Structure formats: C-alpha cells, structure tokens
Amino acid sequence: MQGTLVLAVLAIRSSYAQQIEVPLGDREEVPDTLQWWIAATGTWRIRTYAIDHDIHTHQVDGKPDDLLVLASENTRKHYDDVLRTEHILQFADCYDRSEVQTKFHAIGLEPRFEIAADRFAFWKPDDLQYSTKTSPG
C-alpha cells in the first residue's frame, strides 16, 4: 500500500471521553497525535488520544496534492500551540517492514506503524492497542 503520512506529534496527553488535556511532563510520556494518511485509494484524518488510547478517524474527500497542503495548514491552524513536531513520510510500500523501519528511525521514532484494513496507516505512540472508544458529537 502506497501513501503519505503527515504525522503531527503533540505536546499534550488528552482524553476525549474525560474532556481533559494535560501538557507532557517529559519525553517518556505518550503524546497525542494528529495524522493524515493520503493515498490514491483515499485520505483519512486520524487523531489519537494518549490517556485512554482512543482513536478518531474520518475519511476526507479531495485530490491528494490539495490534501497534503490542507493537512499541514489544518494542523497548524488548530494545533500550533501544542505542536511538538511534524513529519511527512512517503511510503512506496507500507507493508515493507524495512522501509517502515528506515523512515521512522530517520526521524527518531519507533516504527509502530499499523495498517487498518487496507484503508489507512498510522503511527502508534506506544505499543498498546488504539481503538475507537468515543465519537465526536
């Protein structure tokens, strides 16, 4: 599966269910993320919540080139005050473990990459399972 991951690592830990957000204390704490998987087969906006390992996914319509710009602009517009780092990773084959390891190690992150039913791929900030526990109102 080929695609581009726009990965924003945030400087917060939060819970959508509990409606809380706290700053990260140190680099060892698990952060929230905002991610965009952009591919010819579809684009997805993925938001992870570190406290309860919740994940919200939304399919987004549009042209891949336009969505790459939208992803960065949207992230900065809504998360600039808590944005720790942003990375853009292009994958020729995200099933290729070697490629995944190389890309993530190059930016100093562990290659905890999950592919969700051939729809989208996302980075997990830790080894625990992320699943949808809440849904935005």
Side-chain angles (χ1 to χ4, degrees), residues 41-54:
T41 56
T43 296
W44 293 81
R45 180 187 181 276
I46 304 137
R47 175 73 165 85
T48 65
Y49 298 86
I51 291 175
D52 44 19
H53 293 84
D54 194 5

Side-chain angles (χ1 to χ4, degrees), residues 4-9 34-38 44 46 67-69 71-72 75 86-91:
T4 300
L5 180 69
V6 179
L7 168 61
V9 179
L34 176 63
Q35 305 179 49
W36 296 74
W37 177 254
I38 302 169
W44 293 81
I46 304 137
L67 291 170
L68 188 57
V69 172
S72 288
T75 298
E86 184 178 34
H87 307 281
I88 298 175
L89 305 169
Q90 296 181 337
F91 294 93

Side-chain angles (χ1 to χ4, degrees), residues 68-80:
L68 188 57
V69 172
L70 173 70
S72 288
E73 287 177 354
N74 180 276
T75 298
R76 294 196 184 283
K77 177 180 177 183
H78 297 285
Y79 295 95
D80 196 49

Side-chain angles (χ1 to χ4, degrees), residues 47-112:
R47 175 73 165 85
T48 65
Y49 298 86
I51 291 175
D52 44 19
H53 293 84
D54 194 5
I55 184 171
H56 293 174
T57 62
H58 305 281
Q59 190 164 19
V60 180
D61 293 328
K63 297 177 185 174
D65 289 341
D66 296 340
L67 291 170
L68 188 57
V69 172
L70 173 70
S72 288
E73 287 177 354
N74 180 276
T75 298
R76 294 196 184 283
K77 177 180 177 183
H78 297 285
Y79 295 95
D80 196 49
D81 60 329
V82 293
L83 182 62
R84 178 179 273 180
T85 60
E86 184 178 34
H87 307 281
I88 298 175
L89 305 169
Q90 296 181 337
F91 294 93
D93 180 4
C94 63
Y95 286 105
D96 179 347
R97 189 82 182 135
S98 175
E99 179 184 1
V100 169
Q101 287 178 340
T102 299
K103 301 272 185 183
F104 282 103
H105 286 156
I107 59 172
L109 296 175
E110 288 299 315
R112 292 184 293 263

